[in-house]
């Protein structure tokens, strides 16, 4: 395999792993926190979920931060590759980094 194919394979695999972690985090997000705006929900007659699993919240936070770290590493690797080969910038890598960083900060300071 030549160098460009190895770089392409590494970027692809890191992106797939990062997005898989993000999708898994979305799947456990439902049980990780109680519903917000309880007064608003109750005033309109909607059912409100009061039970939540604090262990799931910690797991969700760890998964989000791992996803952010992985995408940051992938972003640095993409910068290195874009400078030295014909492979250009991949849009999904900064998008994943921005989303996971925002979600990690939200879970850390708001939830």
């Amino acid at each position: 395999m030549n160098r460009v194919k190895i770089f392409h394979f590494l970027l692809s695999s890191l992106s797939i792993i990062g997005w898989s972690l993000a999708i898994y985090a979305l799947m456990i997000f439902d049980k990780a926190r109680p519903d917000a705006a309880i007064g608003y929900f109750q005033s309109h007659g909607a059912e409100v979920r009061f039970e939540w699993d604090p262990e799931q919240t910690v797991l969700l936070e760890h998964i989000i931060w791992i996803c952010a770290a992985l995408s940051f590493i992938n972003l640095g690797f993409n910068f290195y590759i874009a400078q030295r080969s014909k492979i250009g910038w991949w849009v999904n890598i900064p998008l994943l980094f921005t989303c996971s960083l925002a979600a990690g900060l939200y879970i850390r300071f708001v939830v």
Side-chain angles (χ1 to χ4, degrees), residues 2-4 11 16 22 38 47 49 70 77 91 97 101 103:
N2 62 6
R3 202 168 93 172
V4 175
L11 278 175
I16 289 171
I38 292 174
E47 288 187 27
R49 181 176 51 86
L70 185 66
F77 190 66
V91 177
F97 178 67
L101 184 66

Side-chain angles (χ1 to χ4, degrees), residues 24-86:
Y24 179 68
L26 286 174
M27 289 176 11
I28 65 169
F29 183 71
D30 183 46
K31 300 288 185 201
R33 65 174 183 87
D35 288 330
I38 292 174
Y40 176 78
F41 285 149
Q42 287 179 342
S43 68
H44 285 83
E47 288 187 27
V48 178
R49 181 176 51 86
F50 291 107
E51 72 278 349
W52 61 292
D53 191 1
E55 293 176 9
Q56 291 285 338
T57 306
V58 173
L59 177 64
L60 176 66
E61 184 179 359
H62 289 144
I63 289 172
I64 291 294
W65 285 119
I66 289 170
C67 188
L70 185 66
S71 60
F72 182 72
I73 292 168
N74 201 4
L75 188 64
F77 190 66
N78 192 6
F79 177 75
Y80 174 78
I81 290 171
Q83 298 295 324
R84 290 179 171 61
S85 71
K86 294 181 181 181

